[in-house]
Amino acid sequence: MRTIAAAMAACVAAGCATSQRTDAPTVVRTKAPAHYQETVTNYFDIMMRGPQTNRKLAFGSPEASDCAIHGSGGYHQGWMVPVIYDTSPVTSTAPTVKGAKTSTSGTAAANKPVQATVNDDGVASATLSEVKISGKGYFFWFSSDTIAAVTRRADSCPP
């Protein structure tokens, strides 16, 4: 009987000593990659076979990712950088559209003027309408300045 009473007292004491925490889990995110353009360029230099004549890389800006990326400190949230890899041959005569401007890469720019906006921190960004970009899309997943994964789709997390 004493054993049962002691066991019950221990269970009650243990139940009172623990409390349920309702704190939200802390999200740990690495710093944004600083030299991602150089890192991605080096990746293509190493991974693509044969000559890369007429290679053009178009970089998007790093986007915060909710995917769990494995890094030196375990799993955390990293960054995703969209990149377009294009090796199409340069044409000597670019198609012209009435009223459109032509960029230095030979692609027709938008018929509408560029709409520039300046953020609070003084960084300007511009958007174009009706711009066609060709090439293969790649998504580079970064843990700080290190490539953690490369995928062809942005809508799923890397393995």
Side-chain angles (χ1 to χ4, degrees), residues 60-69 78-84 136-141 149-159:
S61 58
E63 302 173 12
S65 169
D66 290 334
C67 294
I69 305 288
W79 298 81
M80 187 268 302
V81 177
V83 177
I84 295 177
K136 293 181 181 178
Y138 291 87
F139 299 92
F140 287 81
W141 304 85
V150 180
T151 62
R152 295 294 306 273
R153 296 178 53 167
D155 58 351
S156 60
C157 292

Side-chain angles (χ1 to χ4, degrees), residues 84-105:
I84 295 177
Y85 175 84
D86 184 19
T87 57
S88 59
V90 176
T91 57
S92 59
T93 58
T96 58
V97 177
K98 184 177 181 179
K101 296 179 182 177
T102 304
S103 68
T104 57
S105 64

Side-chain angles (χ1 to χ4, degrees), residues 27-117:
V27 176
V28 178
R29 181 177 311 282
T30 62
K31 66 181 179 82
H35 305 289
Y36 62 92
Q37 293 175 337
E38 180 181 341
T39 304
V40 170
T41 301
N42 290 340
Y43 172 86
F44 282 116
D45 289 342
I46 294 168
M47 299 304 289
M48 295 298 180
R49 297 180 186 261
Q52 298 181 37
T53 57
N54 302 325
R55 176 178 79 178
K56 292 179 243 125
L57 296 174
F59 297 91
S61 58
E63 302 173 12
S65 169
D66 290 334
C67 294
I69 305 288
H70 190 273
S72 59
Y75 285 96
H76 53 270
Q77 291 180 336
W79 298 81
M80 187 268 302
V81 177
V83 177
I84 295 177
Y85 175 84
D86 184 19
T87 57
S88 59
V90 176
T91 57
S92 59
T93 58
T96 58
V97 177
K98 184 177 181 179
K101 296 179 182 177
T102 304
S103 68
T104 57
S105 64
T107 58
N111 290 334
K112 298 178 183 174
V114 176
Q115 301 167 354
T117 57

